[in-house]
Amino acid sequence: PDGNSIVYAGFRGAETQNLHVRRLDDLAPKRLHEAGPARTPCFSPDGKKLVLNNPTTEARTWKRYKGGLAPDLYIYDFAANTAEKITDYPGYDEFPMWFNDTIYFISDRVGGKMNVFAYDTKSKQTRQVTKFDEFDVKFPSLGPDALVFENGGYLYVLDLPSEKLNKLVVEVPSDRIANRTE
């Protein structure tokens, strides 16, 4: 967030993908050892911490998998070089996104469908935000004041901090080439 460093995932001499920080004025990247094999990091609003997945399974297609490779969420503290585990569900907790004092993420912990959940960093409580029961929430992304994600082929915007859900109507104009006479 200060514009002086980048965080990226890479192997750099390890068997698993790890997070690294590289200051723009320094050629040597620093591996975030305590973060472990991780991906999908998101900075805290003050830039002093990261929330991340460990391990990451974002490209896997193991629906409702529960086991040793199921990802949990961690908060990595740059100053202390520590990682605090904030979820302990045996299934999926993925795509963490930090907004104010809340970390939003998707999980299949209720009903077997991926939905948006929220972890309050002050109370350390997790609650369900969306309640889709037919299709999974997929590919959430955080903007300045909203989350956007796909569900059942539709795009939704979750306004923050109100958490009001809006379904987007997408119209694609066409020249109707298929309707023209030949």
Side-chain angles (χ1 to χ4, degrees):
D2 65 5
N4 294 319
S5 303
I6 60 169
V7 174
Y8 64 94
F11 289 92
R12 293 199 57 88
E15 293 180 12
T16 57
Q17 210 169 53
N18 292 281
L19 293 179
H20 303 269
V21 176
R22 181 176 175 265
R23 292 196 47 83
L24 299 179
D25 59 359
D26 185 0
L27 293 177
K30 174 188 170 194
R31 181 174 159 200
L32 303 180
H33 290 284
E34 295 303 316
R39 294 275 301 265
T40 64
C42 184
F43 282 96
S44 62
D46 64 7
K48 295 179 180 179
K49 297 179 181 181
L50 281 176
V51 61
L52 50 94
N53 281 109
N54 181 349
T56 181
T57 55
E58 70 184 64
R60 305 279 197 271
T61 56
W62 305 340
K63 288 183 73 76
R64 292 176 282 290
Y65 169 80
K66 291 181 173 60
L69 289 177
D72 281 306
L73 302 182
Y74 290 78
I75 294 177
Y76 178 80
D77 185 320
F78 285 100
N81 191 28
T82 59
E84 173 192 2
K85 187 176 181 180
I86 62 170
T87 61
D88 196 21
Y89 170 62
Y92 278 92
D93 291 329
E94 290 268 28
F95 294 100
M97 299 157 285
W98 203 322
F99 179 80
N100 293 341
D101 293 324
T102 305
I103 296 171
Y104 291 92
F105 61 99
I106 61 172
S107 180
D108 63 355
R109 60 181 62 210
V110 176
K113 296 291 182 209
M114 295 296 254
N115 272 287
V116 177
F117 287 79
Y119 173 82
D120 186 300
T121 58
K122 293 192 185 279
S123 70
K124 301 187 185 282
Q125 298 297 309
T126 300
R127 62 185 169 75
Q128 187 172 358
V129 177
T130 63
K131 294 180 171 38
F132 293 102
D133 59 4
E134 189 174 1
F135 299 105
D136 290 330
V137 167
K138 294 184 177 184
F139 309 112
S141 184
L142 177 66
D145 59 358
L147 298 179
V148 65
F149 58 85
E150 184 265 332
N151 179 272
Y154 296 99
L155 292 176
Y156 289 85
V157 175
L158 182 68
D159 180 66
L160 299 175
S162 73
E163 295 183 353
K164 182 180 177 197
L165 189 62
N166 296 301
K167 184 177 180 181
L168 291 181
V169 177
V170 179
E171 294 183 23
V172 180
S174 169
D175 289 335
R176 299 183 184 217
I177 293 173
N179 292 343
R180 294 182 183 170
T181 57
E182 293 184 25

